[in-house]
Amino acid sequence: MKRRSFLSTLGLAASTAMLAAPAVQAADLESVSLRLKWLPQAQFVGFYMAKAKGYYEDEGLDLAINPGGPNLLTENLVATGADTFGLSGGTDSVFAAIEKGLPITCIGISHQETPFVFVSKADGPVQEIADFKDASITTWFTGANYVLFGMLAANDIDRTDMNIQPQQVSVTPFVDGQVDVVTATRYNEYYTLMQRVGEENLKRFVPEDFGVSFPRDTLIVGNDFAAEHPELVQGFMRASVKGWLDAFADKEAAIDLIMKEAPTLERPHQEFMLDEVEKIMLAGAAAEQGLFTIDMDAVSSAHQILVDYDVLGGPIDLEAAFDSQFIDAIPSAERLPE
Amino acid sequence: MAGAQPVARRFGAVLPLLKGVVVLAAVLLAVELLVIAFDIRPYVLPRPSAVLEAILRTPAAYRDAMVRTGLETLLGFGAGALFGIWIGIAFSRLRFLRETIFPIFIVSQTIPVIAFGALVVMWFGNTILAKAVIVFYLTFFPVTVNALLGMRAVDEKQVQLLRSFGASDREIMRKLRFPTALPHIFVALRIASALGLAGAVVGEWFGDTTGLGVLLLQGMYAENMVAIWASILCSAVLGVAFFAAIGLAEKRIVFWGGESA
């Protein structure tokens, strides 16, 4: 960071010397990056929107958006300083990072409720949660499994002798009837299922209906950066919120933007994704308080599940790991669609 | 038929490429007919025409991806081939080197590239260099092994003959040993080109924005079979091009006809 401030001082000195007015503004921008949890898609379009409209520049940020990938851990990249901000896996990955002692803090939560659901066929053997007992179930063993365990436990179903298998990339085993219950994110796999099976033939089991919630897609920042540049963190949040509200207000433009970023994507799927993401981002506490609200009740309920299942060695300091000051500094009215 | 000779030779030079394209087209046509005939569902196997249509809908995206992945492969493959030939020759000359370094090479090759890839990206970041290193890692070994094998395939009687004419070690290397090894080296280059392409695609699965690996990943995430096959098809075209280019080089360089002639 020292070198960075030295460089910006140098830049400032140089531009003052040149007395070139337009250059001053460019030199003042702080170079920062946002690491996403996956490749460009509508799930992240608000950030692209904020960048395209110059909202980050208005806050003094020259922001680069770096895509994620299957083998990248956003928390690690932010902790090492390779990236300034990150949109990481979710509350679960933040807990794990804090437990490992990584110097990061969550400054906002994007997906207010569990972004995935469990799906069975409307005419299949699984009609209610009790039917899970004798069903063959696949789920992701990267967090979703604990949501499932939590749902089962909340309904007094003993999972020890159940048939729960890790889910691979494809939902085809479910479509073909080899599996009774499949896990699907509301914005991606569920779309594929709708295409192949038809929405009317699907039955959804929403974790929230069974007393379990798992907020995901967490915005994180490195502790050093936040301590040194609180005003830039504040600016990043302000610009991101504006970008997202613009994306919701003009979805056509938002999808255009993402299709420009990744032209091989399927437009109808991206449109569906944006609609679903909007619902998830404005659900729960965010419905009242606005985008990126950190709902500590939901966070602690997710935390409790992971403690109960010994995924975490013990409780972590949630107050330190989740810092609402930046997002709360933006009035709720400015964080909600008109 | 003497006049037809140069034409035939020129045709012979582009023959591998032409053959590849014709075979690819025939396979695509056969698949198209099969899909229609057996009414295969599109999410099991899409019609090749639908795949081609997807490519033509956003040609720039696929072209950029092919250029990027091709460049990564070319860089890594070039470095791997040169290093492999050089170290293979060194191994054949220096027993000490062969006995100490070669086992390390073998151990290095037992590490799956997907595990190694994560490391490379941490070291080199999301640069084209990182992908080139992965390609290098996959290509240098087969070239080394075959270069060493080729160097040892030399008939000792020929070496003695040259020596009796007063040839130096350097001349024997240039005029006898290296040319003898060349056909073996080219076999390895063919293998390495396909391996290298796979390495470049996998290397792109660590947070990149362009390349066939990225398109493949995006297709897999959305279970978009057409997109998956479109990137597979582009990879195949790239692979055929590399393979043909090596065949062409072989025809020119090993003009006397080697193993594969």
Side-chain angles (χ1 to χ4, degrees):
Chain A
M1 286 318 135
K2 251 184 200 147
R3 189 167 52 167
R4 196 170 277 171
S5 57
F6 168 71
L7 282 176
S8 57
T9 317
L10 203 71
L12 197 70
S15 52
T16 319
M18 285 191 301
L19 285 171
V24 174
Q25 207 167 16
D28 276 351
L29 294 180
E30 177 91 6
S31 288
V32 293
S33 64
L34 166 67
R35 175 68 65 170
L36 300 177
K37 63 189 283 192
W38 191 250
L39 297 162
Q41 55 184 1
Q43 189 182 353
F44 317 116
V45 73
F47 302 108
Y48 287 95
M49 195 64 142
K51 186 174 156 77
K53 292 209 165 177
Y55 293 159
Y56 292 116
E57 282 172 31
D58 294 346
E59 301 288 351
L61 297 165
D62 175 19
L63 182 96
I65 301 179
N66 294 328
N71 304 296
L72 288 174
L73 199 62
T74 309
E75 277 85 359
N76 281 354
L77 291 165
V78 172
T80 58
D83 287 296
T84 327
F85 300 98
L87 184 75
S88 70
T91 45
D92 47 335
S93 65
V94 171
F95 298 149
I98 298 294
E99 192 180 42
K100 275 191 284 180
L102 296 184
I104 56 121
T105 304
C106 174
I107 50 173
I109 295 177
S110 176
H111 291 182
Q112 297 293 332
E113 50 186 22
T114 321
F116 46 81
V117 292
F118 299 92
V119 184
S120 71
K121 283 188 183 150
D123 58 352
V126 178
Q127 291 299 319
E128 53 186 52
I129 187 91
D131 297 333
F132 275 43
K133 190 149 183 47
D134 304 308
S136 69
I137 302 169
T138 63
T139 192
W140 301 303
F141 276 57
T142 47
N145 52 331
Y146 301 114
V147 175
L148 177 62
F149 297 167
M151 282 168 67
L152 295 172
N155 290 274
D156 293 322
I157 301 169
D158 180 16
R159 70 180 163 90
T160 43
D161 49 16
M162 281 175 57
N163 178 17
I164 303 174
Q165 298 291 326
Q167 187 165 320
Q168 309 303 332
V169 268
S170 177
V171 295
T172 302
F174 171 80
V175 174
D176 290 347
Q178 296 156 22
V179 167
D180 302 319
V181 179
V182 74
T183 313
T185 57
R186 285 164 51 181
Y187 50 82
N188 184 42
E189 285 81 6
Y190 197 72
Y191 179 82
T192 311
L193 289 171
M194 279 166 52
Q195 298 289 303
R196 296 212 190 146
V197 186
E199 190 173 17
E200 66 284 3
N201 300 319
L202 295 170
K203 200 169 171 54
R204 285 165 47 138
F205 293 87
V206 180
E208 274 72 10
D209 295 346
F210 299 90
V212 177
S213 189
F214 227 66
R216 299 209 87 215
D217 288 38
T218 33
L219 271 179
I220 57 169
V221 67
N223 290 347
D224 287 347
F225 186 85
E228 278 175 49
H229 304 285
E231 75 294 347
L232 293 179
V233 177
Q234 187 65 64
F236 169 79
M237 291 307 286
R238 208 160 27 224
S240 301
V241 167
K242 275 163 80 181
W244 272 106
L245 291 179
D246 281 5
F248 293 150
D250 188 355
K251 291 185 176 172
E252 193 72 16
I255 299 299
D256 283 346
L257 199 59
I258 216 69
M259 291 306 291
K260 215 175 83 194
E261 203 65 41
T264 60
L265 294 175
E266 270 186 295
R267 194 177 176 100
H269 185 178
Q270 296 304 308
E271 286 165 351
F272 175 83
M273 187 181 280
L274 183 53
D275 287 342
E276 284 302 308
V277 162
E278 181 184 22
K279 284 182 220 157
I280 300 170
M281 287 177 75
L282 288 167
E288 299 278 312
Q289 297 170 38
L291 291 172
F292 294 111
T293 296
I294 299 180
D295 176 4
M296 285 312 276
D297 290 342
V299 170
S300 17
S301 111
H303 175 252
Q304 196 54 48
I305 294 171
L306 297 183
V307 172
D308 289 348
Y309 287 103
D310 291 328
V311 182
L312 293 170
I316 63 160
D317 183 0
L318 293 179
E319 293 300 326
F322 293 82
D323 185 352
S324 292
Q325 62 159 313
F326 298 108
I327 191 64
D328 286 350
I330 308 170
S332 292
E334 289 173 29
R335 286 154 56 195
L336 286 166
E338 285 174 16
Chain B
M1 290 299 280
Q5 201 78 15
V7 179
R9 194 180 293 161
R10 203 170 302 153
F11 182 70
V14 290
L15 197 62
L17 186 65
L18 214 63
K19 253 192 221 162
V21 172
V22 168
V23 168
L24 198 62
V27 168
L28 291 182
L29 187 69
V31 172
E32 178 95 22
L33 293 175
L34 271 173
V35 171
I36 296 170
F38 290 94
D39 196 20
I40 299 173
R41 291 168 300 176
Y43 61 83
V44 175
L45 185 66
R47 292 210 329 265
S49 58
V51 175
L52 284 172
E53 200 190 309
I55 296 176
L56 292 175
R57 213 179 306 132
T58 51
Y62 286 98
R63 185 198 59 216
D64 293 350
M66 282 176 79
V67 167
R68 166 79 186 209
T69 306
L71 201 62
E72 290 162 2
T73 311
L74 209 59
L75 282 174
F77 175 79
L82 288 179
F83 176 77
I85 293 170
W86 175 76
I87 199 85
I89 292 172
F91 280 164
S92 75
R93 311 300 291 166
L94 305 166
R95 188 167 160 212
F96 170 74
L97 207 62
R98 186 169 68 238
E99 285 176 357
T100 51
I101 308 286
F102 203 43
I104 300 176
F105 278 15
I106 294 170
V107 170
S108 82
Q109 295 299 309
T110 59
I111 307 169
V113 68
I114 196 91
F116 189 68
L119 266 184
V120 171
V121 171
M122 282 185 205
W123 288 336
F124 297 96
N126 276 322
T127 56
I128 192 161
L129 186 68
K131 280 79 182 181
V133 167
I134 294 173
V135 176
F136 171 85
Y137 169 79
L138 284 171
T139 49
F140 84 89
F141 188 71
V143 179
T144 307
V145 172
N146 271 32
L148 179 58
L149 186 79
M151 297 305 288
R152 289 176 154 187
V154 173
D155 187 346
E156 276 309 310
K157 281 188 194 131
Q158 292 179 347
V159 176
Q160 279 158 16
L161 180 69
L162 279 186
R163 201 155 270 153
S164 73
F165 291 148
S168 66
D169 271 357
R170 183 181 287 254
E171 280 171 315
I172 293 174
M173 172 58 77
R174 214 179 60 225
K175 296 196 165 144
L176 178 62
R177 288 192 197 273
F178 190 62
T180 312
L182 268 177
H184 293 271
I185 292 173
F186 269 105
V187 170
L189 291 180
R190 282 162 187 259
I191 299 167
S193 72
L195 280 175
L197 185 59
V201 169
V202 171
E204 286 163 357
W205 290 0
F206 298 88
D208 213 324
T209 41
T210 35
L212 293 174
V214 175
L215 295 185
L216 195 60
L217 204 57
Q218 255 166 353
M220 286 199 290
Y221 181 77
E223 260 187 75
N224 180 351
M225 277 305 206
V226 172
I228 294 176
W229 279 102
S231 29
I232 292 176
L233 189 65
C234 290
S235 305
V237 169
L238 212 52
V240 169
F242 273 120
F243 209 79
I246 293 166
L248 202 69
E250 185 175 6
K251 278 228 162 61
R252 297 238 159 163
I253 296 169
V254 194
F255 54 85
W256 60 90
E259 291 279 272
S260 56

